[in-house]
Amino acid sequence: MDTPLIPRRIRLVPPQLGTYFRPSRVDHKSLFAFLAEGIPAGLSGVVFDPTLDAMQAELREEVCERKLQAVLDTRAMELALPGGFVGSRCSLPWAGDRLHQPDQLGGTAGRDWVKTIVEYAQQRNFTSIVAPTHYLADGIADPWFGIDHDLTIALREELDKAGLSFMPIYYRLALKSDAFFDPRQREQLRLSFQSLPADAIWLRVHPFGARSGARVVRKYIRACADLHPSALPLVAEKSGTVGLALLAFGAVGGIESGITVGEHFDANNLLSSRKSGKAFSPLARVYLHELQAFLSMKQARPLFENRTARAYLACKEDRCCPRGSDDTLENPKRHFLRRRTTEVARLSALPETLRAARYMEEILRPATDRMAKAVRLEPALVATR
């Protein structure tokens, strides 16, 4: 006689949290080498700047081969701001010959513009795309708000026509914190999401990121909670180490940043015109994961010469830095990539109900305790404290 099948309870798998990295013109080799070691848990994808396509093509192919997301950021937001319409961005196929204005991209003109973007994405095998939205300087009253809605719908239709119905669209919501923290505007935004063919909302709030204080972070978390009924995943761009708190408290499901840089968004640099000079990337910083802080290489080297600092601040993970601070200083980008993905994977493995408490007990409180000693050794850490 066959034994009857008896249903048994299984533990629910917690929602997976993720992180996206945005390599600069000097990061692709470090990221390529990092991926060659294997795909770490907690890594969702890589965001690509089309102005760097020639030098990052090999990295994009590696990302696709490893079944990670190769995300195209069209830089549409920058092309519509005085400080962003400069340099190599002006040579993009969809850049045109002048600063973008809302009246340029309405109706048929907007659809033709979107077609150019879709053709570019199709030729290069991107797997997902950030919708070509713009900075809403006036919140929901900004003329770009309605235009961006129409452009996103047109993007979905053109992707489908091109045989790219599988490609997710990530709708970037870029706006001032005053608008994002306004309950009335948030409700209007949430309602607008219901008619958007978007697969996630990427948040870029000005000013917000690693330099934000506790009060601002709390308001950000509450604002995200009001958007959750839209059922669209939220990703916090340029959120830095603060992004770990957003993940732990359930505000967002993913975070995005540069590699040791790009952890704070300040739109002021884009809102004012500037001269087009030679492109450059800031120097890599050293991630002190025990403090949830960064130092420049110039600051970190003398700090780690102190035996006490090495004892409680140096990386002790053999797979990351077997020689401790020597490896961290020699390859700060690899150290950051490994530690950040480990932090995200660690939170992701926990049940949602435990994430906030574990973050406070195992990440934030120890960092706070260590910081009291660290600031005596390196005054530059006072601001982080």
Side-chain angles (χ1 to χ4, degrees):
M1 183 177 178
D2 294 336
T3 303
L5 296 176
I6 301 175
R8 64 184 179 88
R9 291 179 179 272
I10 61 173
R11 187 174 64 178
L12 291 175
V13 176
Q16 296 299 295
L17 306 175
T19 185
Y20 295 84
F21 292 119
R22 180 186 296 270
S24 71
R25 64 180 55 251
V26 295
D27 292 332
H28 54 285
K29 292 182 179 178
S30 297
L31 188 50
F32 192 95
F34 177 68
L35 293 177
E37 299 177 15
I39 303 173
L43 178 59
S44 299
V46 177
V47 183
F48 289 93
D49 182 339
T51 65
L52 306 176
D53 184 67
M55 66 177 65
Q56 295 183 350
E58 188 177 5
L59 174 62
R60 187 181 69 247
E61 293 173 4
E62 180 72 11
V63 167
C64 294
E65 185 175 327
R66 293 185 176 274
K67 308 302 181 186
L68 294 169
Q69 294 185 51
V71 187
L72 170 62
D73 182 354
T74 65
R75 309 309 294 268
M77 182 185 76
E78 288 84 354
L79 291 173
L81 295 171
F85 193 83
V86 294
S88 54
R89 295 187 197 125
C90 300
S91 300
L92 291 171
W94 51 89
D97 56 4
R98 62 188 177 95
L99 190 71
H100 292 187
Q101 301 292 339
D103 58 4
Q104 286 179 259
L105 298 178
T108 303
R111 183 170 291 274
D112 291 340
W113 184 69
V114 165
K115 284 181 182 178
T116 304
I117 294 173
V118 171
E119 290 171 1
Y120 181 92
Q122 186 179 30
Q123 292 167 4
R124 289 160 180 78
N125 298 320
F126 285 98
T127 62
S128 48
I129 185 170
V130 177
T133 59
H134 301 82
Y135 181 66
L136 305 179
D138 297 319
I140 60 173
D142 197 285
W144 279 120
F145 182 52
I147 295 293
D148 288 346
H149 189 279
D150 293 342
L151 289 173
T152 304
I153 293 174
L155 177 62
R156 179 74 276 163
E157 292 174 352
E158 293 302 321
L159 286 170
D160 292 348
K161 289 179 184 178
L164 300 175
S165 57
F166 62 87
M167 182 179 285
I169 295 175
Y170 302 141
Y171 184 90
R172 172 178 289 141
L173 179 62
L175 74 176
K176 291 181 180 178
S177 57
D178 291 347
F180 187 56
F181 296 154
D182 180 354
R184 183 184 63 84
Q185 295 199 51
R186 279 203 306 275
E187 179 61 13
Q188 289 294 107
L189 290 168
R190 186 187 67 79
L191 293 174
S192 73
F193 296 160
Q194 295 177 359
S195 57
L196 275 177
D199 298 272
I201 306 297
W202 284 33
L203 301 169
R204 189 174 287 199
V205 178
H206 161 74
F208 186 81
R211 299 195 294 272
S212 298
R215 179 172 173 271
V216 173
V217 174
R218 284 197 297 269
K219 293 171 72 173
Y220 193 104
I221 292 172
R222 294 193 194 104
C224 289
D226 286 347
L227 298 180
H228 286 170
S230 69
L232 288 171
L234 302 179
V235 173
E237 291 192 272
K238 294 184 177 291
S239 54
T241 50
V242 170
L244 295 175
L246 301 180
L247 292 173
F249 284 88
V252 299
I255 56 177
E256 176 267 1
S257 76
I259 299 176
T260 79
V261 297
E263 298 219 328
H264 192 93
F265 177 57
D266 188 334
N268 288 326
N269 292 333
L270 295 170
L271 294 174
S272 57
S273 59
R274 60 188 177 90
K275 294 181 180 179
S276 179
K278 184 179 180 180
F280 72 97
S281 297
L283 296 174
R285 298 182 297 168
V286 177
Y287 184 41
L288 305 179
H289 65 283
E290 297 284 13
L291 301 179
Q292 295 287 286
F294 289 91
L295 286 178
S296 70
M297 187 67 73
K298 184 177 180 180
Q299 294 165 332
R301 284 192 184 281
L303 177 66
F304 280 124
E305 288 174 1
N306 183 293
R307 187 176 301 175
T308 302
R310 284 202 306 272
Y312 67 91
L313 293 181
C315 180
K316 301 175 181 64
E317 185 188 335
D318 288 340
R319 293 187 61 192
C320 182
C321 299
R323 297 184 300 141
S325 59
D326 290 344
D327 285 332
T328 301
L329 294 173
E330 185 176 312
N331 198 339
K333 293 180 182 180
R334 179 183 180 277
H335 168 73
F336 168 74
L337 290 166
R338 182 169 288 280
R339 298 309 310 193
R340 179 53 55 83
T341 52
T342 298
E343 290 165 340
V344 173
R346 182 178 169 188
L347 287 173
S348 188
L350 295 170
E352 289 181 89
T353 53
L354 297 180
R355 286 173 181 167
R358 291 286 185 88
Y359 168 79
M360 297 290 287
E361 294 169 6
E362 299 177 6
I363 298 179
L364 187 59
R365 186 167 289 114
T368 303
D369 294 341
R370 290 186 178 94
M371 186 65 80
K373 296 179 181 179
V375 293
R376 294 199 291 267
L377 299 171
E378 177 47 68
L381 292 167
V382 171
T384 305
R385 182 183 63 179

